[in-house]
Amino acid sequence: RSFARSLLRYLGFIFWGTAAAQAFGGVLVILMLKNYGYLFQESYLSLPGWLALATALILLPTGVLAVSISVKCSRNQQGTLMYLLLLLLCLEVSSATLARSYCLRTASQLESVMGYLVHQHNWTCSQDPGNSAVDVIQRKLQCCGVHNYTDWLKASSPSWHHPACVPESCCKEKHSHCRGDLGHGEQLSEEGCLKKLEGQLCFAMLYIFWFCTVLIILELLAGVSNGILMRHQPFHELHIL
C-alpha cells in the first residue's frame, strides 16, 4: 500500500509535466495542417491534434487528484480519478490510432496533390510570378518539385516558351540572383517537396502516437495503484444495502 501511494504521487507529478508536452503535440498537428490546408481536402485530419489538447486539459486535474489521494485517501476523489483515467484512456487510444492511420494514408494523397499542382503551374523563366501554392511550399521548405527538379521538366518540355529551367521558388535562399536556370544546378534545391512534407506530417503524427502510448501505460499504473488503495478502504457507508 505504501508503494502504491508513492507511485501514485510520482505519477501525479508526471501527469502535470506531460500535459504540456501533449498540448505541444496537439498544437503542432493543428498548425501544420492549417498552414498546408490547401493540400489536404479532409478537415478531420486535425482530429488527433484536438484530442491531444483535450487530453492535456484532463491530465491537469488528474495529476492533482493523484497527488491528493497519495496524501489523504478520499472515496470521492478515488472514484473521480478512476473515471478520469478511463476517459483519458479512451481519448489516447483514439488519438494514437488516428495519428498512426493518418500518417500512412496521407502519403499517397500528398503525392497526387503535389503532382497536380506542379502540372497546373504556369510559369516562364523570364517572368515567374511565384505566388502559387507550389511556390509557397518550395520557398518555405527549400525544395523543388515533387521528388526533385526533374518533375518540372516532365510537366513542360523545354521550348521557346519553357526552356530548360524551373520556377524561381526552387532557388536556395542564399542565391538572390538565381532565376531557375538548370545550368546553375548548385543554386537550386535538390530535395523534393514530397519527402519533406511527409517528414513533417509523420513527425507530428508519430509524436502524438508514441506519447499517447507511453501515457496509456502510465495511466494503467495509476489505475492499479488507485485500485490497491481503494481495496484497503471498503464502502462502509454502503453496507446497509
Side-chain angles (χ1 to χ4, degrees), residues 157-169:
S157 301
S159 63
W160 67 272
H161 183 61
H162 284 292
C165 68
V166 294
E168 292 183 15
S169 55

Side-chain angles (χ1 to χ4, degrees), residues 24-36:
F24 169 77
V27 171
L28 183 65
V29 170
I30 293 171
L31 290 181
M32 189 196 63
L33 292 175
K34 183 179 180 180
N35 292 333
Y36 300 108

